[in-house]
Amino acid sequence: MLKQLSLLALVLWLSPLLAQESCALKLSGTIIDEHDQSALSYASIQFMGSSKGVSADDKGKYELGGICPGIHTLIITHIGCKPDTVQLQINQSQERDFYLEHHWEELKTVEVESESDLEQTASTVELDSNELADSKGLPLGEILKKMNGVSSMRTGSNISKPVIQGFSANRIQILNHGVQHEGQQWGDEHAPEIDPFVSANYRVIKGAGAVKYGGGALGGFVLVEPKPLPTKPGIRGEWNGLFATNNRMGNTALMLEGNFKQIPKFSWRVQGSLKKSGNIRTPNYYQKNTGVEEYNLSYTLGYKGKSWSAQLYYSQFNSTIGIFSGAHIGNLTDLERAIERSEPRPQDQEGFSYQIRRPYQLITHELVRLELNKYLANGGKLNLKISRQFNIREEFDKERPRNRDLAALNIPEFSLSLESYIAELHWELKEWKGIQTELGGVLNRQENTVNSFVDFIPDYERQRFGIFGLAQKTFEKVGLEAGCRLDQTDLLASKLVNRQFEEFDHAFSAITSNVGASYQLSNDWKIRLNLSYAERAPAINELYSEGLHHGTATLEFGNSNLKKEKSTSLNIEAEGKWKKLSMNVQAFHQQINDFIYLSPQGVDLTIRGAYPTFDWMNTDALMNGVDAKLVYTLSSALEYTTQWNFLWAEDLRTNTYLVMIPANRTQQQLTYQWKWKEENEAIRLSATYQYVFKQNRFDKEEEIATPPEGYGLWSFSAAYPFTYGSLKGRLGLQLNNAFNTVYRDYMNRFRFYTDEQGRDLQIRLSIKF
């Protein structure tokens, strides 16, 4: 490790000395009124701290040349609009549209509808346009792990959840279209029920401004954001298709949206997608029963008046996921052999098939959201969101019940339905002496019902009330933010004990507070600092889970005496550019008292088979890490990106290590762009090598099996944008695990039983019309 850190330090020190100035990049696009999608004529774009800038033409179009690679802060202005500040990493010439919310003269001033105003000191990571295009159709966990500092926790090859700086599940909150996503997210194999085709952007946020999204998110927030509804008359759409060779996956989506000339204030969008895949193939064999079927739909209706707007959104997600049969073992001897052998048993290595049999999961998630915005005459804004979510999760065991009548019904062994209601009000106050302030509150009521004979998770009712306040002020070179939040959670669980139902009542209060600062060292360099304290109440599974968790093929036992987590963290981030080199380095330190974790307890035999056993416990934990990303522009067409992620996690009570912590990793990428005609978009080629080190920081007494060896993977991609008449398209190819490497990942709950997915070619086609 010392050698690796020394190498990283050497790269950071030498790269600026080797760099040469190359400022030939271009940024172009249109500045648009977010209300009616009309062009904002003669709007201006200015580089913060620089005289470089340009005014748009009468059609809102602009073009900026002579840009150096790196991270830039842009100020977009227009008469009748409040200036918007946008931070953008520019490593290649690109097109980028900006949206401003035009002020109506009757209101005199209206706050810009933008999340960035009160997030200037927050640590924010998002994908660029090429990464977004290369990710269409992938599960949310696979999309997010393209971001620096984000990895994934997997259960087999089909289920993944994001891990941010070592935290996952209940410690990460996902906001889908502005609403906190509520599902059975406590399970490692419970992937977020979100259709990736409905989202236009993804952001990971930590910092002072993040308190408005929720409390207890020790790892941060994931924002899944749609694009604005169109307000120009006419109908437009987009079709996406994705095919993968490894599991013969087909994934397709169609979106239509428009606006009626007769009702210009009304807009709409409808979208649907279908997905089907078969058995996953490792380099040497197929994994039996690992197919997926999925169908999703959504629609959005919007109305924008002069001083108010309303939007109604509905989505439905439906998925059937096969669970690898080799993870369900009949006895202790077979389990020990499964862990020791290099391949699964022959009966778990059938050839390719789309058929999904037991064990499998059946999931449905429904979301309906109504959002109202009122722009106040004094310059403030009120935002109200009311939503209902309904989630059904059914898990089918490998074997049917021995009772023939029950077996004939083919009912799930484990079934839950979760209904959640959320009402949230945000009030952005009129700016006072340069201070921007936002206040808000949220009411959340949730009811979980067990629909099966097995109550691994019991019936429960949860009510949560939260209030927050945050403020931000910007000086010439300094930005300051502070936020505080208080959440009260009341939980009533009803559990079967000795054939009788007993009720268990819990009440938890939790405080989240953040202080952030940013300092503009120069035109090219900026540092951010965030200090936060956060508390998280135990989740229902941590308190009351009991028995076999089918999806992960483990036995888990809750602890009703768990204490809430209390976290103190410090995050320091530096970003900037020097000649051809741009970089972002983030160091974090987080100590969590009464950290709640799943402690391995060996293996146990039940009437349904032999499984690894885990207990939920409290301890004190320490998380330290560094995430670094450097981009070196070799020429106007060629760039090199290196990324390093280090994480050290310790159990302070036992002076040992925590389990299921991502191993250190690095990634190197070379990207080439080629334009054969000036008017055409560039063809993009890239080669990527990722190396994941072996997780050597583990406790032999805690782990069921020694963590697998480190591994390196090559991937190659190509993208060809094209125009045919009025159609705009993009053809993409992505070859993953190009050399068919045999490996196992420490963060995969099925690493005991099978290798990871082998070579896979993905073919992606997108057409806008």
Side-chain angles (χ1 to χ4, degrees), residues 316-355:
Q316 186 181 118
F317 178 96
N318 304 273
S319 182
T320 304
I321 304 174
I323 304 298
F324 176 53
S325 61
H328 287 242
I329 307 298
N331 56 64
L332 292 174
T333 301
D334 287 344
L335 177 59
E336 292 173 356
R337 289 175 179 172
I339 294 174
E340 292 173 356
R341 69 167 66 99
S342 60
E343 292 187 2
R345 299 170 300 180
Q347 57 265 42
D348 296 317
Q349 298 185 37
E350 72 171 359
F352 179 80
S353 172
Y354 282 111
Q355 185 178 5

Side-chain angles (χ1 to χ4, degrees), residues 546-737:
E546 184 176 7
L548 177 60
H549 189 174
H550 293 83
T552 59
T554 58
L555 297 169
E556 297 179 16
F557 297 92
N559 181 353
S560 60
N561 297 314
L562 289 174
K563 300 177 182 179
K564 65 182 178 182
E565 295 178 329
K566 297 169 280 291
S567 165
T568 303
S569 66
L570 175 66
N571 189 297
I572 301 174
E573 182 179 10
E575 63 182 3
K577 60 184 175 61
W578 195 85
K579 295 185 177 180
K580 290 186 176 182
L581 178 71
S582 62
M583 59 189 297
N584 180 285
V585 179
Q586 185 177 156
F588 56 91
H589 168 89
Q590 189 161 3
Q591 181 170 332
I592 310 101
N593 293 332
D594 295 314
F595 178 76
I596 301 171
Y597 77 110
L598 205 54
S599 174
Q601 303 295 311
V603 294
D604 283 332
L605 181 63
T606 71
I607 59 173
R608 291 195 173 274
Y611 301 95
T613 302
F614 298 84
D615 288 348
W616 286 102
M617 294 184 177
N618 279 122
T619 191
D620 295 333
L622 182 66
M623 298 274 194
N624 291 317
V626 175
D627 295 322
K629 183 176 182 180
L630 294 83
V631 180
Y632 184 78
T633 304
L634 300 168
S635 69
S636 59
L638 190 64
E639 72 176 21
Y640 168 68
T641 302
T642 180
Q643 189 170 299
W644 299 79
N645 305 110
F646 301 103
L647 178 62
W648 300 270
E650 298 181 24
D651 186 325
L652 297 179
R653 292 186 185 177
T654 61
N655 292 319
T656 54
Y657 306 115
L658 297 174
V659 298
M660 292 300 288
I661 297 297
N664 297 331
R665 63 194 61 214
T666 181
Q667 180 173 291
Q668 320 301 319
Q669 185 178 73
L670 192 64
T671 302
Y672 176 75
Q673 294 193 107
W674 174 48
K675 261 192 176 183
W676 72 99
K677 289 184 180 180
E678 185 62 31
E679 64 271 18
N680 293 334
E681 294 187 58
I683 294 177
R684 184 170 177 267
L685 306 172
S686 68
T688 305
Y689 177 74
Q690 182 188 59
Y691 186 80
V692 178
F693 297 91
K694 180 179 180 179
Q695 180 54 281
N696 290 313
R697 299 172 65 84
F698 69 96
D699 184 355
K700 294 181 180 179
E701 301 298 324
E702 289 278 304
E703 296 285 356
I704 295 173
T706 301
E709 296 297 321
Y711 60 89
L713 301 176
W714 281 95
S715 63
F716 302 94
S717 67
Y720 169 60
F722 62 89
T723 301
Y724 184 78
S726 61
L727 302 180
K728 286 188 175 181
R730 187 179 190 273
L731 176 63
L733 301 176
Q734 177 84 31
L735 182 62
N736 297 318
N737 193 2

Side-chain angles (χ1 to χ4, degrees), residues 149 164 374:
I164 303 174
K374 174 64 177 177

Side-chain angles (χ1 to χ4, degrees), residues 214-216 442 464-467 485-489 508-512:
V442 61
R464 180 179 293 162
F465 170 72
I467 56 174
R485 183 183 183 96
L486 175 64
D487 290 283
Q488 176 66 36
T489 301
F508 297 98
S509 61
I511 296 174
T512 303

Side-chain angles (χ1 to χ4, degrees), residues 242-368:
L242 172 64
F243 175 76
T245 59
N246 183 282
N247 55 355
R248 304 181 196 179
M249 177 187 69
N251 197 355
T252 185
L254 177 64
M255 182 275 293
L256 296 173
E257 61 183 9
N259 175 271
F260 300 109
K261 187 176 182 180
Q262 296 80 0
I263 319 176
K265 295 180 180 180
F266 175 76
S267 304
W268 58 271
R269 177 183 296 135
V270 294
Q271 184 269 344
S273 65
L274 294 170
K275 176 181 177 180
K276 186 179 181 68
S277 64
N279 289 343
I280 296 289
R281 179 170 176 80
T282 72
N284 298 315
Y285 53 86
Y286 280 99
Q287 298 174 349
K288 183 179 180 180
N289 197 49
T290 50
V292 174
E293 293 180 1
E294 191 175 299
Y295 66 92
N296 312 300
L297 60 93
S298 69
Y299 66 79
T300 310
L301 305 175
Y303 185 90
K304 289 195 174 185
K306 287 187 176 181
S307 63
W308 66 279
S309 65
Q311 189 177 101
L312 178 67
Y313 174 75
Y314 173 84
S315 68
Q316 186 181 118
F317 178 96
N318 304 273
S319 182
T320 304
I321 304 174
I323 304 298
F324 176 53
S325 61
H328 287 242
I329 307 298
N331 56 64
L332 292 174
T333 301
D334 287 344
L335 177 59
E336 292 173 356
R337 289 175 179 172
I339 294 174
E340 292 173 356
R341 69 167 66 99
S342 60
E343 292 187 2
R345 299 170 300 180
Q347 57 265 42
D348 296 317
Q349 298 185 37
E350 72 171 359
F352 179 80
S353 172
Y354 282 111
Q355 185 178 5
I356 299 176
R357 293 162 289 192
R358 287 171 171 261
Y360 67 91
Q361 299 178 359
L362 189 64
I363 304 107
T364 298
H365 187 89
E366 187 178 57
L367 164 65
V368 58

